[in-house]
Amino acid sequence: MAQPLRLDGIAYGGDYNPEQWPEEVWAEDVALMREAGVNLVSLGIFSWARLEPRPGEFDFGWLDRVIALLHAGGIAVDLATPTAAPPAWFQRAHPHVRPVTEDGRTLGYGARQTYCPSSPEYAAAAARITRELAARYAGHPAIVLWHIHNEYGCHVARCYCERSAAAFCDWLTDRYKTVEALNEAWGTSFWGQRYGDFAEVDVPRAAPTAVNPAQQLDFRRFSSDALLALYRAERDIVRAADPDVPITTNFMAGLSDNLDYWAWAREVDVVATDHYLSAERPDNQIGLALSADLTRSLAGGAPWLLMEHSTSAVNWQPRNIAKRPGELARNSLAHVARGADGVLFFQWRASRSGAEKYHSAMLPHAGTDTRVWREVVDLGARLRELAALRGSRVDARVAVVWDWESRWALDLEFRPSVELDFRERIDAYYERLWRAGVTVDFVHPGADLSRYRLVVAPSMYVTTAAWAENLRTWVRSGGTLLTSYFTGIVDENDAVHPGGYPGALRDVLGVRTEEFLPLRKDEKTRLVAPPRMDGADAAPGTAGRWAEDLALDGASAVLQHADGPAAGRPAVTRHRFGDGTAWYVATAPDPGTLDAVLRAALADAGVRTPSGLPDGVERVRRADAEGRSWEVVINHTAADATVPTPSGPLPVPAGTVRVLAPGPSGSVGSPTDD
């Protein structure tokens, strides 16, 4: 079993690409890293062509010298396998390995990730460079972490070439065993799609109209598994050579929907993720918090690493908005507040050439006489002051269900409305919880829910019988469940549950939907309390996107539609089920109404929300096994704020972060700094 990361304090640094610079720059880099407080860099991520300039010919001398310089400077190394960027010689030797799109276009060389995940030639070449790298650097005292590949599935998540088709056929054979079972699962009697042999099945290429949704869903599963197999192959080579050093790969939790990270998280020693802000969103700190909470949840609550984020502007958004003064620290410490034990950036020194030369860096093009550099140095000093926080955890009593398979299935064609959007509903509920100061975990629908008081399922479209029973048992034993529309509708094969909507959760929710009534674009309905309101102290409001011809089957109506296609029908219901309570929100309420409904559900669950927390101020607690706790308070607004604490009012000036460190008794005490 790999040992924990051998670092004192919180990891701080970023991607280091010395091969982009003359060797005389390297010593300057190490000196400036020490000035900034850097203690960890990711090395070698895109250096395959430099390490193996010709097939089977290796050049490690330059990497030996870089690692030696870093080690002498007290900087640890996260050493990467460079397999995200196959060399030009590999592409020339194996042109058929280039990925093919859904509509049959073969992608060219000149970027990165230019390979088919099912290519045996790529797998063999990746294994060769990984084996050489691991053999050379196993046991090196500078290396505290191995980093496999980079951002799997970021650019090429699915390939539609003939190699992929053959591999998909093998995957289906392993999953279903018989073609009869596949036909049953996919419902191939519809449109006469029945198969007589697995070899007749193709990948879901562009077709005259919608391809079988079960086939598309399985292809998403297969594609995630194909990339995971590549990761495992490299990981196992490294593990055999260097069994005591932890291994990771960088996820893109909350940003990419291409991989089932619940499955991937079981395969890494340390969960790591990359996060980049949607720069033009004024409230992008909420998306940042969501990504951090999701990453912590993938880690099972354990500390995790922020492997990449930006000091300022990125290079790939429509408008690459620069971060304002103080934003670098707010972003970084928000990740730390939500469980990160490491803050790393892409990248250390800004590149002069290539596609990302306008991406910000710890050391900008303008050098050290810059605001960004000064903020980088200040953050390094602050993280050193917070070293004792390392290893502590975030505790949550509210969970939000997140399932990549539901996200994939909702992306498919011919749904009742184009406004059925997995992230839109997740984000709507998460934002209200964030603004209420409620810290949440994300959970797989089959997870153990016993530690949570409230579970929110905003977009659980795919609901297997086992997942439904998991929720049913938990509510019956006293849990409070809140679900939104289009939840519980289909099984793992995208087949509608028999008996009517909301499918697998009808009995738990105590309602029955006769017909979906999606609303027109921008159409709104008025929400009012029924004659006898039961449960929520919610003022009348409005709703959009969705309505249902909903009938009560044991539940009580909390709000109903006053007009529109569902006039007089329930819009929000509450149902006592066993010892618990289940809420159903059968529409998309305005933020104020949703806030009131959520607060009522929180009250049902016995979850108290923080009092006196100003809007736009974030407050998260971490605690360790010894009973010590820290609170991180972040003011994301342009106005000064005051937050109540056990020691009295805490001033939090506009745009600043205050950290309340443990007092003598171990509980939260005084702020460590301003």
Side-chain angles (χ1 to χ4, degrees):
M1 181 67 179
Q3 301 301 309
L5 201 64
R6 300 192 311 269
L7 276 182
D8 294 326
I10 296 171
Y12 185 52
D15 281 30
Y16 183 37
N17 298 289
E19 65 270 30
Q20 297 179 14
W21 299 92
E23 192 159 344
E24 55 266 25
V25 175
W26 299 353
E28 177 190 357
D29 280 332
V30 173
L32 289 174
M33 287 177 189
R34 289 176 59 84
E35 180 182 336
V38 168
N39 61 5
L40 179 67
V41 296
S42 301
L43 192 64
I45 289 176
F46 299 117
S47 58
W48 192 347
R50 183 77 182 265
L51 292 170
E52 189 180 6
R54 283 162 290 279
E57 180 182 321
F58 300 97
D59 176 9
F60 292 109
W62 68 275
L63 188 57
D64 292 345
R65 296 191 295 276
V66 170
I67 293 176
L69 272 173
L70 291 165
H71 186 51
I75 299 161
V77 172
D78 164 34
L79 187 59
T81 62
T83 52
W89 58 255
F90 176 81
Q91 298 291 331
R92 184 182 181 188
H94 307 287
H96 59 283
V97 166
R98 297 175 186 176
V100 175
T101 64
E102 185 178 7
D103 59 2
R105 292 182 300 114
T106 300
L107 300 180
Y109 182 69
R112 60 182 183 179
Q113 293 190 6
T114 313
Y115 63 88
C116 165
S118 299
S119 159
E121 294 89 349
Y122 170 78
R128 182 174 64 201
I129 183 63
T130 298
R131 193 172 295 110
E132 293 289 334
L133 196 72
R136 188 174 189 89
Y137 296 107
H140 195 294
I143 297 167
V144 300
L145 185 65
W146 284 93
H147 183 136
I148 304 298
H149 199 272
N150 182 71
E151 294 181 341
Y152 276 103
C154 177
H155 306 298
V156 178
R158 295 175 293 283
C159 178
Y160 295 80
C161 72
E162 294 302 328
R163 295 285 184 90
S164 294
F168 184 42
C169 179
D170 291 341
W171 184 91
L172 292 171
T173 303
D174 183 63
R175 180 178 177 89
Y176 292 107
K177 310 306 180 188
T178 68
V179 73
E180 291 78 11
L182 179 140
N183 282 316
E184 177 66 23
W186 285 10
T188 55
S189 292
F190 184 80
W191 281 357
Q193 297 169 351
R194 290 188 65 81
Y195 297 100
D197 191 283
F198 281 108
E200 297 171 1
V201 182
D202 198 0
V203 293
R205 308 177 199 272
T209 186
V211 174
N212 187 320
Q215 180 181 359
Q216 293 190 66
L217 185 54
D218 265 348
F219 189 65
R220 295 293 295 258
R221 293 173 175 130
F222 154 76
S223 298
S224 180
D225 285 354
L227 287 167
L228 183 55
L230 291 175
Y231 163 79
R232 286 187 184 124
E234 291 187 36
R235 179 205 60 191
D236 291 350
I237 291 169
V238 172
R239 176 88 75 223
D242 206 2
D244 294 330
V245 175
I247 300 173
T248 192
T249 188
N250 44 337
F251 299 166
M252 301 185 71
L255 296 181
S256 172
D257 68 350
N258 289 325
L259 306 179
D260 182 353
Y261 285 133
W262 292 120
W264 281 69
R266 296 191 293 266
E267 305 290 343
V268 298
D269 298 319
V270 178
V271 168
T273 200
D274 299 348
H275 181 265
Y276 292 97
L277 295 172
S278 298
E280 292 192 74
R281 284 195 58 170
D283 60 350
N284 56 26
Q285 70 271 10
I286 301 175
L288 184 156
L290 183 152
S291 174
D293 284 343
L294 179 58
T295 305
R296 183 187 69 251
S297 302
L298 291 168
W304 51 277
L305 288 181
L306 176 62
M307 189 65 76
E308 290 183 25
H309 73 314
S310 68
T311 57
S312 190
V314 298
N315 66 286
W316 42 266
Q317 295 186 15
R319 298 173 184 83
N320 294 302
I321 309 299
K323 293 185 179 180
R324 303 316 305 143
E327 193 173 357
L328 183 156
R330 290 198 301 277
N331 294 164
S332 300
L333 293 173
H335 285 289
V336 171
R338 295 180 182 273
D341 269 3
V343 173
L344 286 80
F345 295 92
F346 180 84
Q347 58 181 322
W348 161 251
R349 183 186 283 268
S351 300
R352 290 188 59 227
S353 303
E356 296 188 290
K357 57 182 170 287
Y358 300 119
H359 196 294
S360 60
M362 299 177 79
L363 182 60
H365 288 299
T368 57
D369 188 16
T370 55
R371 174 181 61 82
V372 166
W373 173 254
R374 288 187 287 273
E375 291 192 12
V376 163
V377 174
D378 288 346
L379 178 61
R382 195 158 190 189
L383 291 174
R384 286 195 298 274
E385 294 173 357
L386 295 173
L389 180 147
R390 182 178 181 226
S392 61
R393 295 190 175 212
V394 177
D395 184 48
R397 288 292 177 262
V398 175
V400 177
V401 175
W402 181 294
D403 172 40
W404 273 275
E405 295 193 2
S406 283
R407 188 171 186 177
W408 296 340
L410 275 176
D411 281 347
L412 301 178
E413 307 93 336
F414 295 179
R415 301 313 183 204
S417 171
V418 295
E419 295 196 75
L420 287 167
D421 184 308
F422 177 90
R423 276 303 298 268
E424 185 278 328
R425 282 294 84 193
I426 291 279
D427 290 348
Y429 282 77
Y430 184 87
E431 177 178 350
R432 303 325 304 170
L433 291 163
W434 185 92
R435 292 190 183 280
V438 177
T439 303
V440 308
D441 287 341
F442 287 91
V443 292
H444 183 273
D448 178 6
L449 304 175
S450 58
R451 66 189 304 269
Y452 301 107
R453 296 178 181 175
L454 173 67
V455 170
V456 182
S459 201
M460 189 175 154
Y461 169 61
V462 173
T463 307
T464 69
W467 298 349
E469 184 58 31
N470 188 43
L471 288 172
R472 182 178 294 110
T473 301
W474 176 77
V475 175
R476 186 183 285 119
S477 65
T480 300
L481 173 69
L482 189 151
T483 72
S484 185
Y485 55 86
F486 222 53
T487 287
I489 304 301
V490 298
D491 66 12
E492 62 271 30
N493 299 311
D494 200 48
V496 173
H497 284 290
Y501 312 128
L505 299 176
R506 280 193 319 277
D507 59 334
V508 181
L509 299 176
V511 296
R512 181 171 55 85
T513 299
E514 294 190 16
E515 189 175 14
F516 296 139
L517 303 173
L519 302 180
R520 292 176 172 82
K521 183 179 180 181
D522 299 325
E523 182 180 3
K524 300 291 182 185
T525 71
R526 290 186 299 115
L527 298 179
V528 297
R532 297 185 64 182
M533 187 169 178
D534 179 12
D537 183 18
T542 61
R545 295 178 180 268
W546 188 265
E548 296 180 5
D549 186 357
L550 187 67
L552 301 176
D553 190 13
S556 301
V558 175
L559 293 173
Q560 67 185 33
H561 296 278
D563 51 22
R569 309 306 290 171
V572 178
T573 64
R574 179 177 179 270
H575 183 223
R576 290 292 297 173
F577 185 77
D579 293 330
T581 305
W583 290 73
Y584 184 49
V585 185
T587 190
D590 65 82
T593 303
L594 181 56
D595 185 74
V597 171
L598 268 169
R599 288 180 184 273
L602 288 162
D604 265 354
V607 177
R608 298 174 60 184
T609 57
S611 59
L613 188 67
D615 189 43
V617 175
E618 182 175 2
R619 183 175 184 175
V620 187
R621 179 188 294 257
R622 289 182 63 163
D624 66 14
E626 299 172 7
R628 298 181 302 171
S629 60
W630 293 257
E631 280 199 10
V632 182
V633 185
I634 308 173
N635 185 351
H636 293 283
T637 76
D640 295 344
T642 300
V643 174
T645 75
S647 304
L650 175 71
V652 189
T656 64
V657 183
R658 307 293 301 271
V659 180
L660 300 173
S665 65
S667 60
V668 168
S670 308
T672 58
D673 50 42
D674 293 333

